[in-house]
Amino acid sequence: MIHFYDQSFPDRKEPLNKGVPKAVGGLAAAFVRDGHPVTILTDGDVEHTYERDGYTVRAFRKENRYRPASGLREYVRRMDDGPILLNGMFNPPVAELAWQLRSGGRPYLFAPHDPYNAAMFASGRVRKTVWWHLIERSLLDGAEAVQVLDPRHGRLLEERGIHTPWFVVPNG
């Protein structure tokens, strides 16, 4: 079983036509076509499970926008099979799940979906710089590998002192 976490994966009625959910759904569907079972974990207003494009989407009722849902944290704690790919940069729920997985001795992969370049740090510069040094760097260092969209993004990680292996899977 391959698991993905995307905090804002849309409900079954919404199209997958933009951003991180489109990339996550596309990659999940590709794994399914190759014969791998996939579950996308997400947060929602209510707890529910549904099928979409051959994979399962499991939403957990979110109590706080800055933390993963308690049901999701429990689900991840009990997971015993396959990898989990955490999606999203500068994201408190992703950081908490990474910490939970690391402290439980479980490996994870990480997909930021954007490069860690100067332009990324330009808006919210102070907040992002503090978050980088206190949290994001540790999240990247603790990953088994990082999915980047382009080899240049991997080199940007290296320039920032991240030595975690990276691999390229373009979005779209």
Side-chain angles (χ1 to χ4, degrees):
M1 170 71 65
I2 300 169
H3 289 89
F4 291 78
Y5 173 67
D6 175 17
Q7 176 184 12
S8 59
F9 200 79
D11 200 357
R12 69 186 92 204
K13 301 174 222 74
E14 298 176 48
L16 295 178
N17 58 4
K18 62 182 177 178
V20 173
K22 180 178 181 179
V24 169
L27 187 54
F31 276 117
V32 167
R33 283 192 302 274
D34 280 346
H36 303 282
V38 174
T39 298
I40 296 177
L41 308 172
T42 192
D43 301 307
D45 295 331
V46 295
E47 190 161 324
H48 62 284
T49 302
Y50 65 94
E51 298 295 316
R52 178 180 206 144
D53 298 329
Y55 52 84
T56 301
V57 178
R58 183 145 186 205
F60 296 86
R61 190 179 68 73
K62 185 129 176 122
E63 301 93 7
N64 179 325
R65 73 181 239 184
Y66 297 108
R67 298 195 69 202
S70 57
L72 173 62
R73 293 191 312 267
E74 179 62 23
Y75 180 90
V76 167
R77 188 184 67 72
R78 291 183 287 124
M79 279 178 28
D80 61 357
D81 58 340
I84 183 166
L85 178 63
L86 304 176
N87 292 272
M89 63 190 332
F90 300 111
N91 184 305
V94 167
E96 184 172 335
L97 286 177
W99 177 85
Q100 178 184 339
L101 289 160
R102 251 191 338 265
S103 66
R106 295 252 334 163
Y108 65 89
L109 304 167
F110 179 62
H113 293 272
D114 280 307
Y116 290 96
N117 59 17
M120 176 56 66
F121 286 89
S123 69
R125 185 178 45 113
V126 172
R127 180 180 50 85
K128 285 180 180 173
T129 299
V130 169
W131 182 271
W132 172 263
H133 288 289
L134 294 178
I135 297 168
E136 196 86 358
R137 181 181 183 87
S138 173
L139 187 159
L140 287 155
D141 283 337
E144 288 291 304
V146 179
Q147 175 194 338
V148 296
L149 308 180
D150 183 284
R152 294 171 291 185
H153 300 182
R155 289 190 288 279
L156 285 167
L157 288 172
E158 293 167 355
E159 289 171 13
R160 289 191 165 276
I162 303 299
H163 303 294
T164 305
W166 51 268
F167 60 96
V168 177
V169 178
N171 281 353

